[in-house]
């Protein structure tokens, strides 16, 4: 991580190949469960216990690495990679899905497999949406299928199987999944990258777009006998006026995730921070989950304000973050931490550039920074 930040500061449609022979028939999930116990549950229980205290961005990977009630996850998690690029053949995917008891009825299998090839070419999630809309609560697609994906299906199968094991409930109850903030269609924003991102499990969000501000509670997931239960409000939340924002966030006790697309003009974030009037906002940035198809995010651990402290240094952010990064490097940690720095944000600056600057400040352990518009 330090090498990455240092570098930033210094720089300021494929068809399946036929298989030679068909794969052996898959076992249904019930048979796999019988074969898996008890050793598989021992490994899975250990993984769940580790996941409970693991960083939020690594919990899904920890669970799926240790819990495999119906065989290897690779054919399912790697479904989007075409065979000529090392991905699984469609018959291998079908076998793995059948082995995990994926089909609530024949129509579900037909709709999933019927859209599979086209989705692999277009990199869409259509087969999973079709499965969710057909099977609903059988694959944790309630009240809608916004989260359904290969990792979601795998987690659902882990939850249902684990819940049948002795003394599983306390272990499952201890695991909280931080779910990606996605809309009803399953689409989410492309978040910015930052050199320092802290895994976080926060309660509230302020989402900023070019047209509006929305607020709400972020989604979380719990594992149990019925698969995955989702809590929190539906993203992107409730539309709110600028003048009402401060009162809405006044009772926030922990960081509030500020979610904004990477390509959005950073001036919109500046205005939102000012309207929030001191609420503990931290910019959300993309993070690595380690699981194909599972989007993760974290926070850049710099709390944002709108009041300039004259004792702090001033940074200028334009279309490129390079000048601000050079100034951060030149200032050094002691000067940066003496008082909250001020970032003057020009009209052509983007959230992506802002994330780089805030991440560099976080590298030097600067806890707070102010955002203000650039002077004319």
């Amino acid at each position: 991580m330090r090498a990455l930040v240092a570098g930033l500061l210094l720089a300021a449609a494929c068809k399946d190949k036929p298989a030679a022979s068909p794969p052996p028939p898959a076992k249904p999930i019930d048979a796999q469960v019988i074969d898996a116990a008890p050793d598989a549950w021992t490994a899975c229980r250990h993984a769940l216990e580790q996941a409970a205290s693991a960083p939020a961005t690594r919990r899904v990977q920890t669970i799926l690495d240790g819990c495999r009630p119906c065989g290897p996850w690779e054919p399912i998690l790697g479904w989007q990679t075409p065979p000529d690029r090392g991905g699984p053949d469609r018959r291998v995917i079908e076998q793995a899905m059948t082995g995990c008891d994926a089909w609530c009825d024949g129509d579900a299998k037909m709709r999933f497999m019927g859209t599979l090839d086209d989705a692999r070419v277009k990199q869409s999630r259509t087969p999973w949406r079709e499965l969710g809309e057909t099977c609903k609560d059988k694959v944790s697609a309630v009240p809608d299928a916004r989260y359904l994906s290969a990792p979601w299906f795998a987690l659902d199968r882990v939850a249902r199987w684990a819940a049948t094991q002795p003394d599983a409930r306390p272990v499952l109850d201890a695991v909280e999944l931080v779910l990606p903030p996605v809309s009803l269609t399953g689409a989410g924003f492309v978040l910015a990258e930052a050199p320092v991102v802290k895994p976080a499990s926060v309660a509230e969000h302020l989402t900023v777009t070019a047209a509006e501000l929305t607020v709400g509670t972020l989604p979380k997931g719990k594992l149990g006998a019925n698969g995955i239960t989702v809590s929190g409000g539906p993203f992107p939340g409730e539309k709110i006026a600028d003048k009402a924002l401060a009162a809405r966030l006044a009772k926030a006790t922990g960081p509030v995730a500020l979610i904004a697309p990477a390509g959005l003009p950073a001036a919109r974030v500046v205005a939102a921070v000012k309207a929030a009037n001191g609420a503990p906002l931290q910019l959300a940035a993309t993070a690595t989950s380690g699981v194909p198809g599972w989007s993760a995010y974290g926070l850049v651990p710099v709390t944002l304000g709108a009041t300039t402290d004259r004792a702090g240094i001033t940074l200028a952010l334009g279309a490129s973050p390079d000048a601000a990064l050079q100034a951060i490097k030149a200032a050094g940690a002691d000067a940066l931490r003496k008082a909250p720095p001020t970032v003057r944000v020009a009209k052509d600056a983007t959230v992506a550039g802002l994330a780089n600057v805030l991440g560099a400040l976080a590298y030097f352990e600067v806890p707070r920074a102010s955002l203000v518009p650039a002077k004319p």
Side-chain angles (χ1 to χ4, degrees), residues 32 37 64 74 87 106 148 151 179 192 198 211 215 222 250 294 302 308 319 331 333 341 348-349 353-354 369 372:
Q32 292 282 5
L64 297 186
E74 285 77 8
L148 198 60
L179 306 183
K198 181 180 178 180
V215 294
K222 301 291 285 187
W294 185 268
V302 178
T308 298
D348 56 354
L354 177 61
V372 298

Side-chain angles (χ1 to χ4, degrees), residues 5 8-9 194-196 300-304 313-315 324-325 327-329 331-333 335-337 339-343 354-371:
V5 176
L8 285 169
L9 298 175
V196 177
V300 182
V302 178
T303 301
L304 304 176
I313 70 168
T314 298
L315 305 168
L325 294 174
I328 290 171
K329 179 191 174 188
L336 291 168
R337 292 197 292 264
T342 295
V343 183
L354 177 61
N356 269 312
V357 172
L358 295 176
L361 292 174
Y363 171 76
F364 286 108
E365 299 180 351
V366 176
R368 305 183 66 86
S370 294
L371 306 182

Side-chain angles (χ1 to χ4, degrees), residues 1-373:
M1 181 62 69
R2 292 182 178 272
L4 172 61
V5 176
L8 285 169
L9 298 175
L10 290 170
C14 301
K15 293 183 179 180
D16 296 335
K17 295 180 180 179
S21 59
K27 299 178 181 179
I29 192 169
D30 289 344
Q32 292 282 5
V33 170
I34 293 172
D35 289 347
D39 291 342
W41 170 236
T42 301
C44 183
R45 182 189 180 101
H46 179 64
L48 291 166
E49 291 171 342
Q50 287 185 312
S53 58
T57 54
R58 292 294 178 180
R59 291 173 191 168
V60 173
Q61 182 182 27
T62 301
I63 293 170
L64 297 186
D65 282 349
C67 300
R68 302 192 172 203
C70 48
W73 295 122
E74 285 77 8
I76 295 175
L77 297 180
W79 75 277
Q80 240 174 349
T81 304
D84 63 352
R85 298 181 185 175
D89 182 90
R90 64 176 279 120
R91 287 181 291 179
V92 175
I93 298 172
E94 180 182 358
Q95 176 190 356
M97 292 291 285
T98 301
C100 283
D101 195 26
W103 323 120
C104 56
D105 57 33
D107 186 48
K109 180 177 181 179
M110 180 182 68
R111 292 172 66 173
F112 183 94
M113 298 304 299
T115 56
L116 180 63
D117 293 334
D118 187 58
R120 298 178 85 176
V121 171
K122 296 180 179 179
Q123 296 291 290
S124 76
R125 57 184 288 271
T126 302
W128 300 102
R129 188 172 63 246
E130 295 285 354
L131 182 65
E133 291 175 352
T134 305
C135 296
K136 302 186 185 304
D137 62 312
K138 302 298 190 297
V139 290
S140 296
V142 288
D144 52 65
R146 73 177 67 200
Y147 298 112
L148 198 60
S149 62
W152 184 265
F153 172 77
L155 288 168
D156 171 90
R157 284 332 191 223
V158 168
R160 294 172 192 267
W161 169 71
T164 67
Q165 306 302 315
D167 303 322
R169 184 169 180 175
V171 182
L172 292 172
D173 286 347
V175 178
E176 181 181 71
L177 300 177
V178 176
L179 306 183
V182 295
S183 67
L184 180 61
T185 64
F189 295 131
V190 176
L191 300 179
E193 296 181 359
V196 177
V197 180
K198 181 180 178 180
S201 180
V202 297
E204 295 185 278
H205 73 91
L206 164 63
T207 295
V208 183
T209 67
E212 62 185 17
L213 304 177
T214 57
V215 294
T217 54
L218 285 162
K220 303 291 192 300
K222 301 291 285 187
L223 306 179
N226 295 319
I228 310 170
T229 302
V230 178
S231 62
F235 189 81
E238 170 192 359
K239 184 177 178 179
I240 191 167
D242 288 27
K243 61 183 180 181
L245 184 60
R248 172 64 176 78
L249 298 179
K251 295 182 180 180
T253 57
V256 177
L258 196 162
I259 299 174
L264 184 75
R268 284 287 295 153
V269 171
V270 175
V273 171
K274 181 178 181 180
N277 194 30
L281 298 172
Q282 293 186 357
L283 185 67
T286 188
T288 301
S289 72
V291 180
W294 185 268
S295 299
Y297 69 92
L299 300 180
V300 182
V302 178
T303 301
L304 304 176
T307 303
T308 298
D309 189 328
R310 294 184 178 180
I313 70 168
T314 298
L315 305 168
L317 176 61
S320 169
D322 289 351
L325 294 174
Q326 291 287 356
I328 290 171
K329 179 191 174 188
D334 291 341
L336 291 168
R337 292 197 292 264
K338 181 179 180 180
T342 295
V343 183
R344 292 197 170 274
V345 180
K347 290 183 178 181
D348 56 354
T350 65
V351 172
L354 177 61
N356 269 312
V357 172
L358 295 176
L361 292 174
Y363 171 76
F364 286 108
E365 299 180 351
V366 176
R368 305 183 66 86
S370 294
L371 306 182
V372 298

